[in-house]
Every structure is written in structure tokens, then in C-alpha cells.
């Protein structure tokens, strides 16, 4: 009989490598009372058949840190637990077979340098020295990461499980979850086929089963199992145990040494979904049927790369399902639907590489309530209610799988499962040759193609086909007037007698101003980091209107709900009820005067005001605010009135040269103005004072607010980092973010965002300059700066103030 405890502080569900790592770190680092329950036996899902490559480089600094941590852990785990892990640090080689891929790899080398990861660019001749069996006739170059490696997935998981037990964790196999108990919006117990287990927190590490486990608790976990195949060969002459792992993304394949032979697999462009109707009961330590027809293109490509495969014997074909996500990043964090319910799953075939670091981060998140670093790219709150739609998730996830080895084009967009959510202006904008992107399912105009220009993105490692048209939109905003459709903005109302008091507690800036005023503010966590970046408008004494970015809807809603309290406060998501037309440019007031009888002079409608006006016979909520550095308004209209308002603006705006503009113009405009982007320039690990936003923090007031103590400590001490702007005159330098910042020849940080400023005629980037001894204006101005872009260094000019004059009279008039 299996003996199951009736209570535990933390219950980890799932005995794959992620669950074992999480239990290990909970027990080792936090001395938590941990119970891991597994419905079958440890490693029975995806872990046991995983290929076991451990690469470290990703486009996110935080994910790279997690992968580096995994390598460090795996190198010592066997000595700690006494169980073999199969860990071998034999390095990793990544190939480039065309100029665009080579630019990508050069950018990756720059990223590696920015993130403190050793990576060497090598020639074809040097690559073949490292991997003598391969043909290099088509090779442009390669990159070598000496600290990459490979491991035995099951052995590492079992070693982590033993380590967890060593530190006091309990692990019980053969226990299936049947449901959950909750109270007041928090999980209180796990129900199993062996009885009820009371708990404070739950961690869903159910792998492919994580979606159905989440549904038992009312939590959405967007996953899709996909078939993933690889072959194991008989021994091949010349394959040594020290042979590096090899990734050949242009051929969609990878290799690693396996008992004197090779393990070879890949990521096909036409993947096959599995278990659409649910994972079969009793699926444990099982594989799917071999599909040689589907695998044949990989085999052909592999033989061309490694001719010895043509005569090698194949020992086994592995066709094992693995869970993938709609954006190719894994899922961590506390579910927005249920307090105390955490998720760690969806590792997109790099779970072995991620497991050490992901388990460490997740354990810290569970015990501290906040992530130990900026983990937005994997945060479960990046999803929305859209991701409850299995059909949508399936279609988008298959595209993400097919892009696993695709060139990482700057500003690339997904094409599948579209359109899904559209604003009332979608058809009007489409008729004006809008080229749409997608954000959380919303179709949003990125740019507008002039006549004679095909309305489609043509990706490029340099300036893409939209570079010129976006410049025209940018100039129209600076010189005349444009309208942006930003209806996808997330919009909330906070109402009730205690709403002002509670928002004053949550917000770092003073928001309880007189009705008719709006405030730009951050919301801070206990560490003083920026959790939310948004505007709060006071509509009445007991009513507030909160506007935030499209992608942050779930995150910000969960944060606000979680800190408002329940007494006399109502929170309502009103996103779909309001469309948003953003009218910007020096002629915007003239245009509004032509279509509205309301007084919109600066005296009546100053910057930071909100008021109701009548426009085209419609009641419109006009917010005087700007994210582009020009005079303008966000015009929030009831969704049914958006078309009439848009038509009126376009008709009356003809004499002023009005034109619609897209999100890529917004990006170039905000870069010139120095406005920060949450998730890039500002994150939960950045203080407003480090980000140059200390002016928006009410430390001068007497009232307390969330994060005040930590914010005050940062403000009182010398800063260790400071966000700065950098401009590069050389047009050959195309900035996209993550480029290394050199000060007097030494790396001091990397760009958090980058692009082109059309008004200024130069490349613009933002990033943190770091110095343990302190960063003040004198230190910043004293340095000589260069940026490393795709391996080349370019002189850069540092800007402490925004490049586009922040006292622009047109903005304040």
C-alpha cells in the first residue's frame, strides 16, 4: 500500500525532471516541507525519452542565466548525491549555411558576450576540426560554446529526486490527482485517489498532463503535445565521447554522441500534433509509432551533413511526444486564476537544459511570492483567456514548433490562427493597406503600405521593406497629425468608496488627484521593482480608469486584483467595451477643434487631463497623454462608436494631412522621446530610480505605499546601474536589442531595446550601464562608449536626457 501524507506545506505534482528539480530546490534552499506526488513512476512522461542536449544561449538574459545555472548544477550533482547523471561538458557547435544565418549567429555571439557566456565564432575549417565527420562545403561559419554539453535525462531526474529526499522532501509514486479544494481564491488541498492532502501551495509540474491538472483547478495552461522523433545509430568510426553537440538549424537537425554512435533529430516545418482528444489513460514509458516517411527529410539532410550516416546502422527510432507552448517559451509562475497554485511546464524540447535553473527559480517564486529575477518571457501571466481555446493553441503551437530552428528575424510575426480578435476599425484600416501584427490575439496595424508597395512584411537582418513607409508615418506624427488604432489596450475600472485609498497603496505615484486628472505611474513590488507601468485616470471620487499595454492585461489585472483587497472596491476589466483612437501630432488640437465643439485649449484640457467630449455625435473619453512625444489625445470611445469617430477624424483631417500610422512608428517615436517599455527597459527587477523614473515616485509624501521602503533605500544609496540612451550614427549598425555596451573598451551592460529614430536620423538604443562602485552622471559622461552589433564595434554617443527634447513646447502647449 502506498502511504500518502495528509498534509504538506508545498505539493509538487509530477515526477519528471522539472518536478524533481523544483522539489530538490524547495528542500535544499528553503527547507520547505515538500511532498512530490507522481501518478505513475518518476520520469515516465517526456523525461525518459528526451534527447538530452544542454545548450545555454537564448535571446533572454534571464533564461540564459537559468540555463547557465543548470550547467553548474549538473556538473556537481553526481558528487552530491552519488547517482550518475551522464553529464558531459563537451561543448556545442552551431552552424550557419547562408549569410542571413551568419548574421544571426554573429548577433548571438554578441548576446552571449552581453550575458557573460563564452562563445567563439569559428571558420568552416575550424568547425570541421571540432566535428571531423561533417561535410562543410556549404558552411559560412559556425559558433562554438565550450560550456554546453549533454546528459542522461532520466539519470539527472533520479539524481535530483535523491537530492530532494536527502534534504527532507517526500516523494510518493502511484498517486493520481483527482481535484483540488480552494477557499477565498486560494488553493487549500489536493484531492487524490489516495485521499485528501492539505497544503499551502501547489506546483503543477505535470508535463504533458499539466493542462488537464490545471483545468481541475480552473487554471488555464496552454500546451500542445507534439510528436518529436530522433534516431540512435550503431557505433560510427570517428565518433568520440568528446564530440560536441551539433545544431544545424538551416537543415533543421541536431546531433549528439551516443555510446559511440549518433543521436540525430530535428524540428520539421510540418509537425504532427498528438493527443488532441486528451492523453490516453495509462500512457507511461511509452513511445508512439515510428513515422519514417515524416522523418525522411531529416534523414536526407543529416546524410548530406554527415556522409557516414549513409552506411550506419540505426538501432532505434524514438518518437516521443513533448509539450510545446504557443510562443516557444516555457511556463513558470503563480496562476492568475488561483492564489498559491504555481505552474512549471511546457519546455519545448529543452526541458533538460532548463530544468536545473527553472526548478531553482520556481522554488524561489513559490516560497517568496515573487520571481528571483525578471522572468516575464516565461511568466504564465503573459497569456490571456484566448489561450483557453485548445484549437487556437494547437494551431499557433505547431507554427512555433516549426519555427524552432527558423532564422530569428527582427520583428518577426506569427502567421497562424489569425485573425482572431479585431478592433471595430479592422476593415477600415485593411482597406487603407494596413499590415497587421498580432498581440495576445489582437490584430494591430504595424505599418501602412503605400501604393506600389506590397502590404506584407519581408523580413531582413538589415532594414526591411517597411523601413521607409514607417519613416513617413513617423514624420507625419512629428510634423502634422496621425491616428493610431490602439483599441487592444487593456482597460480596467476600479470603483467603490475605498478605491482611492487602495490605489494610493498600490501605485508609486499620487493617483488620488481631483476628478478629471490622470497620472502616469508604476506599481512596485516589495523589492522596489517595477511590476506595472500604466496610467490611472480619476473619473469621479469613487471611480478610476486604468489603461495598460495589450500584452500585460493578465499580469496587471492579477497584480491589481491581488493587492486591492475586497472591502468596498470593485475591479472590472472593460477592455472590449472601449475602442482607443490615439490622435497625435502638432495639428491634433486643430483637428479636434474642427470636429468637436468642446473647448480643448491647454487651459481647459491640459496635459494629464481626462474629460468627456462630444465627437461626431458620440461621447468620447479624451485622455491628454502621449507615448510619442507630441501633442495629442487618447480618444476612448464606446466600441460601437469607433467607426463613426474614425470616419469623422479622417474626413476633417484631410486638410491637415492626417494619415493612419502603426505600431512600428510608435516604437521609433517613443525611442526618440526616451519613453520606457515595460518588459524590456523596465522590469520587476529594475527600480524607478535606476530607470530614470524616480520623479514618478511619491517619496516626498507622508503616505505609505507598496514598495516604499525598498524604493527609498535605492534612492538613498549610490546607484549600481542606470538606464541611458545611446545613439549610433553609422547606418550599418542595425540595433534590435541585446547589443553589448562598451565603456572605455569594457562591457558594462547591454541594450534592452533598440531601433531607428527618423527625426534624428540615427540608430537609438537604451540599456543599463552597470558599475559596482556606483553610477552617477559624472561617471556616465566620463566614458567613451561603443556598441557591439553582430560582432562589429561602432562608436556611440551616450545620452542622459532623451534624444528628442522632453520640454518640447508642442507637447506641453
Amino acid at each position: 500500500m502506498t502511504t500518502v501524507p495528509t498534509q504538506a506545506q508545498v505539493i509538487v505534482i509530477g515526477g519528471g525532471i522539472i518536478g524533481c528539480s523544483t522539489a530538490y530546490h524547495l528542500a535544499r534552499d528553503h527547507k520547505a516541507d515538500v511532498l512530490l506526488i507522481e501518478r505513475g513512476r518518476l520520469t515516465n512522461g517526456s523525461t525518459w525519452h528526451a534527447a538530452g542536449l544542454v545548450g545555454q544561449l537564448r535571446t533572454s538574459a534571464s533564461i540564459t542565466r537559468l540555463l547557465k545555472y543548470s550547467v553548474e548544477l549538473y556538473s556537481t550533482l553526481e558528487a552530491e548525491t552519488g547517482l550518475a547523471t551522464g553529464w558531459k561538458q563537451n561543448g556545442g557547435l552551431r552552424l550557419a549555411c547562408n549569410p542571413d544565418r551568419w548574421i544571426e549567429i554573429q548577433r548571438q555571439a554578441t548576446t552571449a558576450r552581453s550575458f557573460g557566456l563564452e562563445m567563439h565564432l569559428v571558420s568552416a575549417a575550424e568547425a570541421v576540426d571540432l566535428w571531423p565527420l561533417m561535410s562543410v562545403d556549404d558552411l559560412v561559419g559556425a559558433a562554438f560554446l565550450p560550456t554546453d554539453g549533454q546528459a542522461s535525462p532520466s539519470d539527472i531526474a533520479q539524481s535530483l529526486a535523491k537530492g530532494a529526499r536527502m534534504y527532507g522532501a517526500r516523494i510518493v509514486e502511484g498517486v493520481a490527482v483527482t481535484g483540488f479544494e480552494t477557499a477565498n481564491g486560494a488553493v487549500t488541498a489536493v484531492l487524490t485517489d489516495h485521499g485528501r492532502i492539505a497544503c499551502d501551495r501547489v506546483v503543477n509540474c505535470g508535463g504533458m498532463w499539466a493542462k488537464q491538472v490545471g483545468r481541475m483547478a480552473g487554471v488555464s495552461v496552454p500546451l500542445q503535445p507534439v510528436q518529436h522523433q530522433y534516431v540512435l545509430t550503431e557505433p560510427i568510426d570517428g565518433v568520440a565521447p568528446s564530440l560536441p553537440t551539433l545544431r544545424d538549424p538551416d537543415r533543421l537537425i541536431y546531433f549528439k554522441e551516443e555510446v559511440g554512435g549518433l543521436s540525430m533529430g530535428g524540428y520539421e516545418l510540418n509537425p504532427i500534433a498528438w493527443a488532441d482528444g486528451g492523453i490516453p489513460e495509462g500512457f507511461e514509458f511509452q513511445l508512439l509509432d515510428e513515422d519514417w516517411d515524416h522523418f525522411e527529410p531529416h534523414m536526407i539532410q543529416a546524410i548530406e551533413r554527415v556522409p557516414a550516416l549513409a552506411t550506419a546502422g540505426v538501432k532505434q527510432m524514438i518518437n516521443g511526444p513533448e509539450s510545446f507552448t504557443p510562443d516557444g517559451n516555457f511556463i513558470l509562475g503563480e496562476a492568475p486564476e488561483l492564489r498559491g497554485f504555481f505552474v512549471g511546464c511546457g519546455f519545448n524540447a529543452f526541458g533538460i537544459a532548463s530544468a536545473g535553473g527553472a526548478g531553482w527559480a520556481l522554488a524561489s517564486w513559490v516560497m517568496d511570492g515573487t520571481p528571483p529575477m525578471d522572468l516575464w518571457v516565461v511568466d504564465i501571466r503573459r497569456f490571456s483567456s484566448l489561450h483557453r481555446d485548445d484549437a487556437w493553441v494547437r494551431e499557433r503551437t505547431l507554427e512555433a514548433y516549426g519555427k524552432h530552428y527558423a532564422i530569428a528575424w527582427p520583428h518577426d510575426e506569427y502567421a497562424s490562427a489569425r485573425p482572431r480578435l479585431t478592433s471595430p476599425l479592422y476593415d477600415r484600416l485593411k482597406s487603407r493597406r494596413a499590415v497587421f501584427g498580432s498581440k495576445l490575439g489582437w490584430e494591430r496595424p504595424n505599418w501602412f503600405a503605400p501604393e506600389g508597395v506590397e502590404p506584407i512584411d519581408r523580413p531582413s537582418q538589415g532594414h526591411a521593406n517597411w523601413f521607409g513607409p514607417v519613416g513617413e508615418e513617423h514624420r507625419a506624427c512629428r510634423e502634422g497629425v496621425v491616428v493610431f488604432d490602439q483599441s487592444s489596450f487593456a482597460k480596467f475600472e476600479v470603483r467603490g468608496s475605498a478605491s482611492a485609498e487602495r490605489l494610493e497603496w498600490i501605485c508609486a505615484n499620487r493617483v488620488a488627484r481631483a476628478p478629471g486628472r490622470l497620472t502616469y505611474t508604476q506599481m512596485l513590488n516589495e523589492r522596489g521593482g517595477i511590476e506595472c507601468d500604466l496610467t490611472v485616470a480619476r473619473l469621479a471620487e469613487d471611480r478610476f480608469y486604468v489603461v495598460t499595454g495589450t500584452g500585460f492585461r493578465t499580469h496587471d489585472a492579477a497584480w491589481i486584483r491581488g493587492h486591492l483587497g475586497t472591502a468596498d472596491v470593485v475591479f472590472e476589466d472593460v477592455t472590449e467595451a472601449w475602442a482607443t483612437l490615439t490622435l497625435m501630432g502638432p495639428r491634433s488640437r486643430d483637428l479636434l477643434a474642427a470636429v468637436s465643439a468642446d473647448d480643448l485649449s491647454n487651459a481647459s484640457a491640459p496635459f494629464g487631463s481626462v474629460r468627456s467630449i462630444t465627437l461626431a455625435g458620440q461621447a468620447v473619453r479624451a485622455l491628454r497623454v502621449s507615448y510619442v512625444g507630441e501633442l495629442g489625445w487618447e480618444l476612448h470611445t464606446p466600441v460601437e462608436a469607433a467607426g463613426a469617430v474614425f470616419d469623422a477624424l479622417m474626413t476633417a483631417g484631410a486638410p491637415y494631412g492626417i494619415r493612419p500610422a502603426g505600431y512600428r512608428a510608435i516604437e521609433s517615436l517613443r525611442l526618440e522621446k526616451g519613453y520606457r517599455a515595460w518588459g524590456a527597459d523596465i522590469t520587476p527587477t529594475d527600480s524607478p530610480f535606476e530607470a530614470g523614473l524616480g520623479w514618478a515616485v511619491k517619496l516626498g509624501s507622508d503616505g505609505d505605499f507598496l514598495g516604499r521602503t525598498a524604493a527609498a533605500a535605492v534612492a538613498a544609496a549610490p546607484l549600481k546601474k542606470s538606464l541611458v540612451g545611446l545613439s549610433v550614427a553609422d547606418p550599418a549598425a542595425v540595433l534590435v536589442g541585446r547589443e553589448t555596451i562598451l565603456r572605455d573598451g569594457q562591457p558594462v551592460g547591454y541594450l534592452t531595446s533598440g531601433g531607428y529614430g527618423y527625426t534624428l536620423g540615427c540608430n537609438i538604443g537604451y540599456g543599463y550601464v552597470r558599475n559596482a562602485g556606483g553610477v552617477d552622471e559624472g561617471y556616465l559622461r566620463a566614458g567613451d562608449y561603443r556598441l557591439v552589433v553582430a560582432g562589429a564595434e561602432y562608436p556611440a554617443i551616450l545620452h542622459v536626457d532623451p534624444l528628442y527634447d522632453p520640454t518640447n513646447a508642442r507637447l506641453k502647449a
Side-chain angles (χ1 to χ4, degrees), residues 21-32 69 167 359-361 363-364 367:
S21 177
T22 303
Y24 167 87
H25 286 95
L26 282 165
R28 188 195 72 176
D29 298 345
H30 303 277
K31 308 300 184 287
Y69 175 89
Y167 293 109
W360 166 80
S364 178
M367 300 307 295

Side-chain angles (χ1 to χ4, degrees), residues 490-493 553-554 557 561 571-577:
K491 298 165 282 275
F492 315 127
E493 283 201 8
R553 179 178 181 175
T554 303
R561 279 197 194 99
F571 175 93
E572 183 182 4
D573 187 325
V574 295
T575 298
E576 277 75 22

Side-chain angles (χ1 to χ4, degrees), residues 567-785:
D568 301 317
V569 182
V570 174
F571 175 93
E572 183 182 4
D573 187 325
V574 295
T575 298
E576 277 75 22
W578 294 87
T580 305
L581 285 71
T582 303
L583 191 72
M584 291 286 149
R587 304 303 302 273
S588 58
R589 178 178 284 125
D590 298 333
L591 172 52
L592 280 182
V595 293
S596 176
D598 292 277
D599 181 5
L600 292 169
S601 66
N602 195 58
S604 179
F607 188 79
S609 65
V610 55
R611 57 177 298 188
S612 180
I613 66 173
T614 301
L615 201 164
Q618 308 292 333
V620 173
R621 190 175 288 168
L623 281 63
R624 177 82 191 281
V625 66
S626 175
Y627 190 56
V628 299
E630 293 295 340
L631 171 68
W633 283 262
E634 286 178 13
L635 303 174
H636 293 248
T637 77
V639 68
E640 63 274 8
V645 172
F646 177 82
D647 292 343
L649 290 173
M650 295 304 293
T651 299
Y656 306 104
I658 191 172
R659 62 187 297 169
Y663 271 83
R664 288 182 181 148
I666 292 175
E667 178 67 6
S668 67
L669 290 159
R670 77 96 185 166
L671 285 170
E672 289 187 337
K673 186 65 172 66
Y675 287 131
R676 280 62 168 144
W678 194 87
D681 308 315
I682 50 178
T683 75
T685 62
D686 302 315
S687 163
F689 296 94
E690 297 166 335
L693 298 172
W695 56 268
V697 181
K698 56 190 175 190
L699 288 182
S701 69
D702 294 331
D704 197 10
F705 60 91
L706 181 61
R708 177 176 186 132
T709 300
V714 173
L719 296 178
K720 298 295 191 292
K721 65 178 183 179
S722 182
L723 187 70
V724 300
L726 292 152
S727 62
V728 177
D730 194 327
V734 177
L735 306 182
V736 298
R738 301 181 303 278
E739 292 85 359
T740 303
I741 303 171
L742 302 179
R743 180 184 183 276
D744 297 335
Q746 299 301 311
V748 292
Y750 55 89
L751 296 189
T752 52
S753 60
Y756 190 80
Y758 295 91
T759 305
L760 302 169
C762 64
N763 303 285
I764 300 171
Y766 289 89
Y768 288 92
V769 170
R770 292 168 167 82
N771 180 39
V775 178
D776 57 18
E777 188 169 337
Y779 174 85
L780 292 172
R781 294 190 184 278
D784 176 72
Y785 293 89

Side-chain angles (χ1 to χ4, degrees), residues 62-98:
S62 296
I63 293 181
T64 297
R65 283 180 60 189
L66 296 185
L67 298 176
K68 288 175 65 178
Y69 175 89
S70 292
V71 166
E72 293 163 4
L73 175 65
Y74 298 163
S75 65
T76 61
L77 189 62
E78 183 173 339
E80 179 184 358
T81 67
L83 285 185
T85 62
W87 168 245
K88 184 167 56 174
Q89 195 171 76
N90 48 342
L93 196 62
R94 192 176 187 92
L95 309 182
C97 304
N98 59 69

Side-chain angles (χ1 to χ4, degrees), residues 786-804:
R786 301 176 75 84
L787 289 179
V788 184
V789 184
E793 294 185 12
Y794 295 91
I797 299 174
L798 179 135
H799 304 267
V800 175
D801 298 319
L803 284 77
Y804 188 72

Side-chain angles (χ1 to χ4, degrees), residues 382-727:
R382 73 188 189 272
F383 300 120
S384 72
S385 59
L386 168 69
H387 295 87
R388 292 180 176 271
D389 183 337
D390 287 345
W392 190 95
V393 167
R394 178 184 185 276
E395 186 175 349
R396 177 57 59 85
T397 300
L398 291 179
E399 183 185 2
Y401 179 105
K403 283 187 169 183
H404 193 86
Y405 274 163
I407 292 174
W409 302 107
H411 311 286
D412 191 28
E413 292 275 356
Y414 284 102
S416 60
R418 296 176 55 186
R420 176 57 184 257
L421 303 174
T422 60
S423 89
L425 306 178
Y426 177 77
D427 290 332
R428 287 172 168 85
L429 299 178
K430 190 174 182 179
S431 71
R432 288 172 168 82
R433 302 175 61 79
V435 181
F436 292 92
S438 179
K439 191 81 166 184
L440 270 194
W442 284 91
E443 292 294 311
R444 311 193 311 172
N446 278 335
W447 62 286
F448 291 80
E451 292 294 336
V453 175
E454 188 180 11
I456 189 172
D457 279 352
R458 296 292 183 194
S460 171
Q461 296 286 15
H463 292 315
N465 64 322
W466 46 263
F467 181 79
V470 168
E472 292 303 312
E473 296 171 23
H474 178 114
R475 281 184 280 274
C477 184
R478 289 277 185 252
E479 298 170 6
V481 60
V482 300
V483 61
F484 303 102
D485 178 14
Q486 297 191 280
S487 299
S488 64
F489 271 161
K491 298 165 282 275
F492 315 127
E493 283 201 8
V494 180
R495 303 186 297 271
S497 59
S499 55
E501 175 189 347
R502 296 310 300 164
L503 282 172
E504 278 292 315
W505 161 250
I506 300 172
C507 295
N509 206 348
R510 189 168 67 88
V511 297
R513 303 175 188 271
R517 299 296 300 172
L518 68 84
T519 304
Y520 166 68
T521 186
Q522 289 85 47
M523 295 179 176
L524 309 183
N525 54 39
E526 292 285 2
R527 297 174 303 194
I530 302 170
E531 282 290 343
C532 308
D533 181 71
L534 38 73
T535 58
V536 178
R538 192 170 196 177
L539 304 180
E541 290 292 333
D542 61 351
R543 187 180 177 205
F544 293 81
Y545 185 60
V546 181
V547 182
T548 190
T550 305
F552 316 134
R553 179 178 181 175
T554 303
H555 173 278
D556 290 7
W559 183 265
I560 295 169
R561 279 197 194 99
H563 293 88
L564 274 178
T566 56
D568 301 317
V569 182
V570 174
F571 175 93
E572 183 182 4
D573 187 325
V574 295
T575 298
E576 277 75 22
W578 294 87
T580 305
L581 285 71
T582 303
L583 191 72
M584 291 286 149
R587 304 303 302 273
S588 58
R589 178 178 284 125
D590 298 333
L591 172 52
L592 280 182
V595 293
S596 176
D598 292 277
D599 181 5
L600 292 169
S601 66
N602 195 58
S604 179
F607 188 79
S609 65
V610 55
R611 57 177 298 188
S612 180
I613 66 173
T614 301
L615 201 164
Q618 308 292 333
V620 173
R621 190 175 288 168
L623 281 63
R624 177 82 191 281
V625 66
S626 175
Y627 190 56
V628 299
E630 293 295 340
L631 171 68
W633 283 262
E634 286 178 13
L635 303 174
H636 293 248
T637 77
V639 68
E640 63 274 8
V645 172
F646 177 82
D647 292 343
L649 290 173
M650 295 304 293
T651 299
Y656 306 104
I658 191 172
R659 62 187 297 169
Y663 271 83
R664 288 182 181 148
I666 292 175
E667 178 67 6
S668 67
L669 290 159
R670 77 96 185 166
L671 285 170
E672 289 187 337
K673 186 65 172 66
Y675 287 131
R676 280 62 168 144
W678 194 87
D681 308 315
I682 50 178
T683 75
T685 62
D686 302 315
S687 163
F689 296 94
E690 297 166 335
L693 298 172
W695 56 268
V697 181
K698 56 190 175 190
L699 288 182
S701 69
D702 294 331
D704 197 10
F705 60 91
L706 181 61
R708 177 176 186 132
T709 300
V714 173
L719 296 178
K720 298 295 191 292
K721 65 178 183 179
S722 182
L723 187 70
V724 300
L726 292 152
S727 62

